[in-house]
Amino acid sequence: MKALKGNIIFTSSPEKFEVFENSYLVESKGKVYGIFKKLPQHLKNIKIHNFGKSLIIPGFVDLHFHAPQFQNIGIGYDEELLEWLNKYTFPEEAKYDNEEYAKRLYKKVAKEIWRNGTTRVSLLSTIHRNATEILMDIFHKAGIGAYVGKVNMDRNSPDYYIESTEESLSVTKDWILKTKDKYPLVKPIITPRFVPACSEKLMRGLADLAEKYDIKIQSHLSENQEEVEWVKSLHPEYETYAHVYDAMGLLNEDTVMAHAVYSNEKEIELLAERKSFVAHCPNANYNLASGIMPLRRFIDAGVKIGLGTDVGAGHQVGIYKVMSQAIQASKIKWLESGKKEEYLTTSEAFYLGTKGGGRFFGKVGSFEKGYSFDALVIDDKNLGDRDIRSIEERLQRFIYCGDDRNIIKRYVEGKVLCEPI
Ligand code: GUN
Ligand code: FE
């Protein structure tokens, strides 16, 4: 057992922060044991790490990150989604056929994710099985919790970056069998790229694998207007884009869909009914001029939401950046809706980037008893006076003005994460 001492702040629900000034966050067996103002007698002998005035917060959770696109961030944003995929994304992803290339660049990805305090992440790799296994190994060594998906695509894709249906299914099955029990914190996740790139046969086959081996699922949904029209023309028989995934057996409580910018009431209702997660990725939605997700409508409908950087459509790795972008996006939506759709508060945005997305990983993203001891220590002395500000104000200031240099320690399941090599 051990304790971190400092100013502890987290959200167990979206409405408000829980604040414990100058207190002890106690860990036992990788989980949160409790928070104490004074250590009780039976804990008097445990090791204490005193972080003084620093803030202690849950680790960040990123529900959507394309590892091979890290190399492309900041590039190609003059295009919208479909052109961007063809011109920039597919040519870069195709290079991961080369294992040396994958090893070199995926190590950089792990370093940046570590640096920015993300302790749990849902990653997409490429169609290449070997590079996907390399990515899993790198995240395991880094100690970061991760779902890692080998991407599947068997139609409407360039001939240099496509699989046959049979090959895609058989390779995915072998890869799942090899990796599903290999690591404690890194797991495979089924990853059909999006409806336009996956045949019905492939999607149904992937759904069978997910069910048979109890594997989570991630994909993209209603991100861009042209994309939504394309899906409608490919599958006119279904009510919405999400209804296609649902009919294929891919929409359940172990599914996370990125974006959902153009979801109508029917689609939102279905996502709520299926208890699926949505990864809100405002940074990416701005860069590719996709639009602004009507977040409040999802929250009101009871859809489970987390945040995603969507690197490389998003250009920043820090989930704290996405928190402020989600707030900004919601304020535009609020104005556009005639001030009807309430904008996000800071505690709501913080919740989405910690416990909201953390629910996809289990008891993650909060300091309630029994939650994974995933924590960050934030030294904010360079951001302004600490003594005249409340703990809540200091956290807000870090979200808006801080960066990776303020993150001085990272823990996952109670273990300190060293910088990945
Ligand atoms: N839709 C299908 N593939 C992608 C991708 O790589 N990035 C984003 N943002 N959307 C997608
Ligand atoms: Fe994406």
Side-chain angles (χ1 to χ4, degrees), residues 66 69 81 84-85 89 193-194 220 223 259 288 310 313:
H66 295 260
Q69 295 176 18
L81 175 67
W84 171 83
L85 284 172
T89 307
R193 179 163 214 123
F194 65 160
H220 296 92
E223 174 179 3
H259 305 299
L288 296 183
D310 195 21

Side-chain angles (χ1 to χ4, degrees), residues 37-176:
K37 188 78 194 163
K38 263 183 71 184
L39 280 183
Q41 196 55 39
H42 73 283
L43 298 176
K44 279 282 190 269
N45 292 325
I46 67 173
K47 176 117 183 99
I48 293 164
H49 302 269
N50 191 343
F51 292 105
K53 288 185 184 177
S54 291
L55 307 174
I56 300 173
I57 66 173
F60 296 127
V61 180
D62 188 342
L63 281 188
H64 192 78
F65 188 118
H66 295 260
Q69 295 176 18
F70 180 66
Q71 188 67 358
N72 271 2
I73 56 175
I75 293 168
Y77 301 152
D78 290 339
E79 308 292 346
E80 286 186 56
L81 175 67
L82 301 177
E83 293 74 28
W84 171 83
L85 284 172
N86 282 318
K87 258 187 159 160
Y88 294 93
T89 307
F90 295 152
E92 179 58 30
E93 290 192 11
K95 295 181 191 168
Y96 284 73
D97 178 28
N98 178 331
E99 290 170 35
E100 285 313 309
Y101 188 76
K103 222 171 265 174
R104 184 162 66 80
L105 290 166
Y106 281 162
K107 279 185 182 174
K108 284 195 194 188
V109 171
K111 248 187 219 279
E112 278 314 298
I113 286 182
W114 171 87
R115 203 188 301 288
N116 282 284
T118 295
T119 49
R120 308 273 176 165
V121 56
S122 198
L123 293 167
L124 298 88
S125 67
T126 59
I127 63 172
H128 313 101
R129 176 199 172 155
N130 291 353
T132 305
E133 289 187 22
I134 288 168
L135 182 60
M136 295 178 91
D137 213 51
I138 288 170
F139 272 74
H140 166 66
K141 288 189 178 123
I144 298 167
Y147 289 113
V148 179
K150 183 207 110 51
V151 171
N152 303 91
M153 38 206 288
D154 72 340
R155 67 169 174 176
N156 299 317
S157 304
D159 50 11
Y160 64 85
Y161 192 53
I162 190 166
E163 312 159 287
S164 73
T165 312
E166 291 69 28
E167 178 197 4
S168 187
L169 286 171
S170 76
V171 169
T172 301
K173 180 179 170 186
D174 292 347
W175 161 70
I176 286 170

Side-chain angles (χ1 to χ4, degrees), residues 169-360:
L169 286 171
S170 76
V171 169
T172 301
K173 180 179 170 186
D174 292 347
W175 161 70
I176 286 170
L177 288 173
K178 182 169 170 197
T179 59
K180 73 185 177 62
D181 302 314
K182 191 171 180 187
Y183 310 108
L185 296 178
V186 176
K187 299 286 173 193
I189 180 168
I190 299 263
T191 309
R193 179 163 214 123
F194 65 160
V195 166
C198 300
S199 67
E200 286 205 31
K201 188 170 175 206
L202 177 59
M203 287 192 275
R204 289 184 200 279
L206 291 173
D208 289 345
L209 290 176
E211 193 185 355
K212 183 161 180 199
Y213 300 111
D214 194 17
I215 306 291
K216 291 192 185 271
I217 298 164
Q218 62 181 348
S219 192
H220 296 92
L221 175 70
S222 300
E223 174 179 3
N224 162 289
Q225 281 167 313
E226 265 178 82
E227 173 211 13
V228 173
E229 287 305 315
W230 193 8
V231 171
K232 212 176 275 172
S233 70
L234 290 168
H235 300 279
E237 65 276 32
Y238 296 108
E239 224 174 335
T240 73
Y241 193 157
H243 283 79
V244 183
Y245 286 124
D246 191 47
M248 303 301 141
L250 288 166
L251 208 61
N252 60 52
E253 59 191 10
D254 289 320
T255 304
V256 59
M257 287 289 165
H259 305 299
V261 172
Y262 290 100
S263 299
N264 60 20
E265 290 310 315
K266 292 251 162 63
E267 188 158 276
I268 294 174
E269 204 176 290
L270 180 64
L271 289 161
E273 234 168 70
R274 294 289 177 266
K275 301 187 167 64
S276 302
F277 284 76
V278 170
H280 177 38
C281 308
N283 188 344
N285 299 152
Y286 281 168
N287 285 340
L288 296 183
S290 297
I292 302 176
M293 179 211 195
L295 182 62
R296 182 59 63 191
R297 288 203 259 142
F298 284 80
I299 293 174
D300 289 348
V303 178
K304 292 187 268 179
I305 314 278
L307 298 179
T309 54
D310 195 21
V311 161
H315 66 285
Q316 287 162 322
V317 174
I319 279 292
Y320 49 96
K321 301 275 185 206
V322 183
M323 289 175 184
S324 61
Q325 288 151 359
I327 295 170
Q328 290 175 326
S330 74
K331 288 177 177 173
I332 307 277
K333 220 34 183 187
W334 173 71
L335 285 167
E336 281 182 348
S337 70
K339 303 191 178 177
K340 279 204 195 79
E341 291 176 28
E342 293 280 334
Y343 54 76
L344 276 195
T345 62
T346 309
S347 70
E348 285 182 302
F350 189 81
Y351 176 89
L352 294 182
T354 53
K355 189 176 172 180
R359 289 175 297 177
F360 195 61

